[in-house]
Amino acid sequence: MYRSSSTSNALPAGIYPPELIESFAPRLIAWQRKHGRHDLPWQNTRDAYRIWLSEIMLQQTQVGTVIPYYARFLERFPTVEALAAAPLDDVMALWAGLGYYTRARNLHRCAQVVAQEHGGRFPSTVEGLAELPGIGRSTAAAIASFAFGARATILDGNVKRVLARVYGVEGFPGEKRVENAMWTLAESIVPGADASDADVSAYTQGLMDLGATLCGRGKPDCARCPFAADCVANTTGRQRELPAARPKKTVPTRRTWMLVLLDGDAVMLEKRPPTGIWGGLWSLPEAADEAALAERAQSFGGAGQASPLAPFSHTFTHFKLDIEPRVVELALKASSTSALELNDGQTAWVPLREIDAFGVPAPVRKLLDGLRGSLI
Ligand code: SF4
């Protein structure tokens, strides 16, 4: 019978009940086999490319959103070599709408490193995987566990929530001190050396499944949970307090003016710098205020009056962006029936119906879709 590996990664004595440390893995594995998820598109394979692709997409994004993106990526890039050989623009366009675009740039770079430096094969160890672009400690552990049967632990937001509740871990898990304590705890409960590769996969999947199904952020379904009898949060009625919330801090607001320059049914898009928000995506030209916006419009040949559209906001992790869109219409007839790239591919006239072929950030895309609807 497999056991947790508490002996190899010792916790301070007495901090958690030893029987709950010892029994965690077998109970979770048994529950996962009976009640967990078994038919997700990236399951039932040991193909590291597919597993890696899914794990990167699943960082900060829900399963239901990821499924169609995953299918489209695999259809277009069936192998790591195909992804490595694709232009970054194609990858960004296919990623548009999934958010956290650094993931897409790292995905592309990682594919190139694997294709060029590892002969198209992903490293099989957590350490080797964690050296690749975009793969942190938890993602490396997930890939190593699913693809190669490594006894490594994941520790994403879902797992932190489960551990905080089952073991009563106090403090905000985003705080380094608390996170380090959680890594020690998580490493002490992975299946022991006697676990099979299938046990290890079921364990890792079980951690994900429990956090995503029964032990969600809202009201957890404790009555169906394999840990209900011992879970600190459940037995003390502290499900809402564990894990501790992020200490409150105000999110700063920034403001930007976006230029919607129209020539017939084509809009001027500008490629954003490779780093920073929406890095490498195509967006509307921006300015810091109304006067700077008029100057930018003029530089593109637009001397007419700018008409305001309804302002809107977009919230990023660290700040809120208030957006003031202004429309300037031209009659250059510079645009043709298909997209026309200018300035070494840094700007482009794009017919509104062809926006899909460009990687455009979701809020800008929504604005342009609305505009297209009103022009038809
Ligand atoms: S008993 Fe409830 S709070 Fe505890 S781990 Fe299970 S679902 Fe989460």
Side-chain angles (χ1 to χ4, degrees):
M1 179 65 176
Y2 41 81
R3 307 151 58 99
S4 290
S5 68
S6 54
T7 46
S8 55
N9 302 295
L11 288 164
I15 186 166
Y16 302 116
E19 61 281 6
L20 191 51
I21 294 291
E22 287 285 319
S23 69
F24 187 88
R27 285 159 83 180
L28 184 66
I29 291 168
W31 174 83
Q32 200 284 328
R33 293 222 158 100
K34 206 155 168 214
H35 301 287
R37 299 174 294 184
H38 297 275
D39 298 313
L40 296 172
W42 42 85
Q43 287 183 297
N44 307 312
T45 179
R46 291 256 172 205
D47 182 337
Y49 171 63
R50 288 170 178 245
I51 291 164
W52 162 73
L53 183 62
S54 70
E55 289 301 326
I56 301 298
M57 288 185 165
L58 287 165
Q59 291 168 348
Q60 294 129 328
T61 308
Q62 305 248 331
V63 164
T65 309
V66 164
I67 287 175
Y69 279 89
Y70 177 78
R72 283 197 291 270
F73 260 77
L74 271 190
E75 197 185 326
R76 183 85 174 275
F77 310 120
T79 61
V80 72
E81 287 87 355
L83 178 55
L88 177 61
D89 271 356
D90 289 9
V91 177
M92 299 305 282
L94 214 53
W95 190 277
L98 261 187
Y100 299 97
Y101 293 94
T102 306
R103 289 186 295 173
R105 284 190 293 278
N106 280 334
L107 187 86
H108 190 238
R109 274 209 299 137
C110 181
Q112 291 179 331
V113 172
V114 171
Q116 289 156 16
E117 296 174 23
H118 297 270
R121 301 170 81 91
F122 279 81
S124 60
T125 62
V126 175
E127 295 73 22
L129 287 161
E131 281 182 13
L132 296 172
I135 301 185
R137 182 172 170 185
S138 183
T139 300
I143 301 167
S145 145
F146 288 135
F148 307 110
R151 290 169 49 253
T153 188
I154 58 169
L155 188 68
D156 61 9
N158 278 348
V159 180
K160 286 175 182 169
R161 185 170 59 251
V162 169
L163 296 187
R165 285 174 171 166
V166 171
Y167 293 96
V169 181
E170 306 288 349
F172 171 54
E175 192 189 319
K176 205 75 211 137
R177 176 186 58 84
V178 180
E179 191 181 14
N180 287 344
M182 281 194 165
W183 273 113
T184 306
L185 170 60
E187 282 173 347
S188 74
I189 56 177
V190 292
D194 48 349
S196 67
D197 285 5
D199 292 335
V200 170
S201 288
Y203 175 81
T204 304
Q205 188 63 49
L207 280 176
M208 295 176 176
D209 292 352
L210 193 68
T213 58
L214 301 188
C215 198
R217 268 204 204 98
K219 195 174 180 305
D221 191 352
C222 300
R224 293 168 54 213
C225 179
F227 301 107
D230 311 286
C231 167
V232 171
N234 186 42
T235 54
T236 60
R238 296 183 63 213
Q239 289 95 332
R240 290 170 71 92
E241 293 161 35
L242 292 168
R246 175 191 293 276
K248 284 239 178 318
K249 71 170 193 257
T250 47
V251 182
T253 299
R254 294 184 201 165
R255 201 169 177 205
T256 187
W257 275 255
M258 283 190 177
L259 176 62
V260 185
L261 202 58
L262 289 174
D263 181 21
D265 79 334
V267 65
M268 169 67 76
L269 295 184
E270 188 169 58
K271 194 179 248 187
R272 298 188 59 87
T275 53
I277 62 163
W278 299 331
L281 294 190
W282 287 88
S283 188
L284 295 166
E286 287 183 41
D289 55 34
E290 203 89 49
L293 184 95
E295 268 176 36
R296 292 219 68 190
Q298 270 177 13
S299 74
F300 291 118
Q305 187 66 30
S307 347
L309 290 175
F312 61 100
S313 298
H314 185 73
T315 304
F316 294 91
T317 325
H318 300 298
F319 68 97
K320 181 164 146 269
L321 188 64
D322 288 343
I323 299 167
E324 298 276 357
R326 298 285 184 273
V327 178
V328 174
E329 293 197 48
L330 308 180
L332 299 175
K333 301 280 187 289
S335 54
S336 54
T337 46
S338 61
L340 177 67
E341 295 199 12
L342 308 164
N343 300 331
D344 285 339
Q346 294 309 297
T347 53
W349 282 111
V350 181
L352 289 169
R353 65 180 177 286
E354 284 188 26
I355 292 292
D356 279 355
F358 286 70
V360 176
V364 176
R365 165 82 196 272
K366 204 167 151 200
L367 171 80
L368 295 176
D369 281 350
L371 207 60
R372 185 177 164 203
S374 67
L375 289 177
I376 290 170

